Each structure stands twice: as C-alpha cells, then as structure tokens.
C-alpha cells in the first residue's frame, strides 16, 4: 500500500497542466480574494509544465480577464496577477527556484505521510488514502512559500531600517558640518571686534590694586632694608627695632 502511494505521489504533482474549465466570475473571485506566492498556482500548472503549457494557460486567462475584454472592476488587478505569474514562469532561472521549492514540499509531504502510515500500521489504523496526497502536497507548498515570504519581508524591513539609519547618520553629519561652518563664519565676523578689545586691554594703564585694575597686589615702594622691623613684646604691643 505504501509503495502505491509513493508511486502516486511521484506522478501526481508532475501533471503538466490541471484540467480546469475557466469561468470569469470564479477566477475574478479567486484571484482577488487569495494571496499567491507560487505562480504555478495562479495558472493552474504543475511543476513540470513546459513553455507551451504556460503560454496556453496564459492565453486562456487572457481571453477571460484582459481589461479590454472584461469590464469587471476587478479585472485589471486580477490580470496583473496573471501577467506577473506568466512573466515569472517564462524566466528559466526564476522558474527553477519555484520548482526547487515545490520539490522540497513534495519530499516533505512524502516523508510525513510515510511516517504517519507507519504509526498507523503499529496502532492498527488504516493508512492515509492516496487521493489525499495532492491536498497535503498543496498545503505543504503553501507553508513553504509562506515561510519564504515571511523571511523575505523580514529582510526587507531590516534593509529599510539600515537605510533609514544611514540616512539619519548622513543628515546628522551634514547638520554638524553646517553648524561648524556657521560657527567659523560667526567667529570670523567678530574677529576685528575681539582684536580691538584685546589691544584696548593691553594699552589701558591702571594702578595695581585699584578698582579699575585687575586687583593685583601692589608692590612695596621702598627697599626692605629701609623699612623698620617690628616684633611684639606683648600681646597687642609692638616695639620698633632698627637693624643697623
């Protein structure tokens, strides 16, 4: 039973194109209400779809949803989703990335279902029906693409944050440079005034110890040898002693 499921799993996701009859109302509702991370899902294609398959589905959508043919207000936005999915899948390198993710989803689905069937076998429960593989596979694909999109948005926010930081740093340095220039200009403008005040200060003659001076100590007017030497004999009493 497990081998049959594995064979089914290996075959089913490789369907080049899903048999789908497109209806305008259904596609407008689907494309306008869901979020698509996988362009294969937009065009109902399997991972082994060829360029011819992609073009065929694109033309089918074009006949239904192109704004020149569909007058519904949602047609323009839905058509952009289809057009972007088509352009993405027509670029070989981008298509390989999505195929690689889908292959990983398929392998994870196979592994988890095999593990679940072993657990069921031990407990005597019937294995998972093979026809549920497709829904499990699609769910796994959606989870993987959602995780990748979350990481992508996280990196985008980090890059934007770094850009804002660099911009703020640039503005800060620019303001400092402008402030420096303005400060130097103001300093240069007052240069003549400062020079004149300095000259006036140097040329000003004032007596030391007066209120107009710098309050320095007045030097003695006579030599120390000519001044009398006094020593106290009692408290409050002084006696002049002349030194010959």
């Amino acid at each position: 039973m497990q081998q049959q499921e594995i064979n089914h799993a290996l075959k089913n996701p490789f369907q080049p194109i899903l048999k789908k009859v497109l209806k305008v109302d259904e596609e407008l509702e689907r494309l306008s209400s869901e979020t698509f991370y996988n362009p294969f899902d937009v065009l109902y294609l399997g991972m082994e779809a060829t360029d011819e398959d992609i073009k065929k589905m694109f033309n089918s959508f074009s006949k239904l949803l192109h704004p020149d043919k569909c007058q519904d207000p949602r047609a323009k936005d839905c058509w952009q989703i289809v057009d972007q999915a088509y352009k993405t899948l027509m670029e070989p390198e981008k298509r390989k990335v999505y195929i690689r993710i889908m292959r990983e989803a398929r392998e994870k689905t196979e592994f988890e279902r095999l593990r679940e069937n072993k657990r069921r076998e031990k407990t005597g429960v019937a294995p998972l029906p093979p026809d549920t593989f497709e829904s499990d596979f699609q769910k796994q694909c959606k989870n993987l693409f959602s995780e990748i999109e979350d990481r992508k948005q996280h990196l985008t926010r980090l890059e934007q944050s770094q850009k804002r930081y660099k911009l703020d740093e640039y503005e800060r340095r620019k303001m400092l440079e402008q402030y420096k220039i303005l400060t130097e200009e103001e300093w240069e403008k007052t240069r003549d005034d400062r020079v004149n005040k300095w000259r006036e200060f140097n040329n000003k003659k004032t007596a030391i110890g007066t209120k107009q001076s710098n309050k320095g100590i007045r030097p003695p007017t006579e030599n120390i040898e000519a001044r009398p030497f006094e020593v106290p004999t009692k408290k409050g009493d002084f006696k002049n002693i002349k030194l010959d």
Side-chain angles (χ1 to χ4, degrees), residues 16-27:
I17 184 170
L18 301 176
K19 301 299 181 180
K20 177 70 178 177
V21 178
L22 301 179
K23 297 181 180 180
V24 178
D25 293 338
E26 290 182 0
E27 293 309 313

Side-chain angles (χ1 to χ4, degrees), residues 96-139:
K96 287 179 182 178
V97 174
Y98 286 98
I99 290 175
R100 185 169 65 249
I101 297 171
M102 294 174 72
R103 287 183 185 276
E104 181 181 345
R106 187 199 67 189
E107 292 173 357
K108 290 186 69 173
T109 304
E110 292 173 0
F111 174 78
E112 290 180 0
R113 287 176 66 90
L114 183 61
R115 183 175 59 181
E116 175 62 19
N117 282 338
K118 287 182 178 180
R119 188 189 68 80
R120 290 186 173 213
E121 184 178 359
K122 290 180 180 180
T123 57
V125 180
L128 295 170
D131 58 0
T132 60
F133 178 86
E134 178 65 21
S135 60
D136 290 345
F137 167 69
Q138 293 296 333
K139 187 183 296 183

Side-chain angles (χ1 to χ4, degrees), residues 15-72:
Q15 292 294 330
I17 184 170
L18 301 176
K19 301 299 181 180
K20 177 70 178 177
V21 178
L22 301 179
K23 297 181 180 180
V24 178
D25 293 338
E26 290 182 0
E27 293 309 313
L28 286 172
E29 180 64 24
R30 180 179 74 98
L31 294 172
S32 62
S33 61
E34 297 182 20
T35 300
F36 296 91
Y37 300 129
N38 186 359
F40 284 99
D41 291 342
V42 176
L43 300 179
Y44 293 109
L45 295 172
M47 69 176 83
E48 287 298 308
T50 63
D51 288 352
E52 185 179 352
D53 296 326
I54 297 171
K55 291 177 181 178
K56 182 178 178 180
M57 286 304 297
F58 178 73
N59 291 333
S60 298
F61 274 100
S62 178
K63 294 175 183 179
L64 262 69
L65 302 180
H66 196 283
D68 294 341
K69 300 178 181 180
C70 182
Q71 302 303 316
D72 193 287

Side-chain angles (χ1 to χ4, degrees), residues 84-99:
Q84 184 60 46
Y86 170 74
K87 291 177 180 178
T88 300
L89 293 180
M90 290 305 293
E91 293 187 29
E93 294 302 320
K94 288 185 178 181
R95 194 196 309 182
K96 287 179 182 178
V97 174
Y98 286 98
I99 290 175

